[in-house]
Amino acid sequence: MRKLVIAISMLAFAGSAALADPILDRQALMKDRGKIVGGLSKVVKGEEPYDAAAVLTQLQALQANAEKFDTDVETLFPAGSDTGDTTAAPKIWEDMAGFKTAEQKYLADVKAAVAAAPADVDSLKAQFGTIASNCGTCHQSYRIKKG
């Protein structure tokens, strides 16, 4: 069932490829990313049973999300999209090269997790720790915390 939900959400997202509102589009990407990471987190914490096929599917969905983000970063963060309903920090536009580097490291680590195809929860924990660390690092530098 989880695979079906992920597949449908990826198709729905792919169908919205015409980036009409960069703030809404990047928020949708990050919400999708958060849902996938949240699902993996439940497995890592032992709140859900480990299922190698389901984990790999989630990691592949995370990779597709990261690839979409990486490909569209310029479109998702155009000049002038730093105001309005956004938690994107001004540092993104001040240091676009650093922002892209952070996203590319995240993508590389997600790809490594997919390639490793964690066979058990302990293997997933190691991969997940690296991925989550990337999220935290990027959020510290490039995201405004909501009060």
Side-chain angles (χ1 to χ4, degrees):
M1 182 67 180
R2 195 181 296 163
K3 289 180 191 178
L4 179 62
V5 171
I6 292 171
I8 290 170
S9 69
M10 292 307 293
L11 285 173
F13 183 76
S16 67
L19 301 171
D21 181 333
I23 294 173
L24 292 177
D25 292 332
R26 64 187 183 230
Q27 287 173 345
L29 262 174
M30 295 308 286
K31 284 179 185 177
D32 187 45
R33 184 178 291 187
K35 286 178 187 175
I36 299 166
V37 170
L40 288 168
S41 177
K42 288 180 181 181
V43 174
V44 167
K45 292 177 184 177
E47 296 171 3
E48 287 191 13
Y50 184 85
D51 175 336
V55 164
L56 184 57
T57 298
Q58 287 180 304
L59 288 171
Q60 290 168 334
L62 200 56
Q63 179 177 332
N65 175 285
E67 287 172 341
K68 174 74 174 151
F69 193 95
D70 186 58
T71 300
D72 291 340
V73 73
E74 303 267 341
T75 306
L76 292 167
F77 295 91
S81 68
D82 56 337
T83 59
D85 184 20
T86 182
T87 58
K91 187 172 180 183
I92 292 172
W93 292 270
E94 296 164 6
D95 181 24
M96 185 59 75
F99 181 62
K100 287 179 182 179
T101 298
E103 181 60 28
Q104 288 165 352
K105 180 180 181 330
Y106 173 81
L107 174 58
D109 290 338
V110 171
K111 284 182 176 182
V114 170
D120 56 41
V121 73
D122 290 331
S123 300
L124 174 62
K125 284 180 183 179
Q127 299 289 334
F128 185 78
T130 301
I131 291 168
S133 175
N134 286 327
C135 294
T137 299
C138 193
H139 283 192
Q140 286 177 352
S141 298
Y142 299 106
R143 181 178 177 208
I144 298 170
K145 292 182 182 177
K146 286 190 174 182

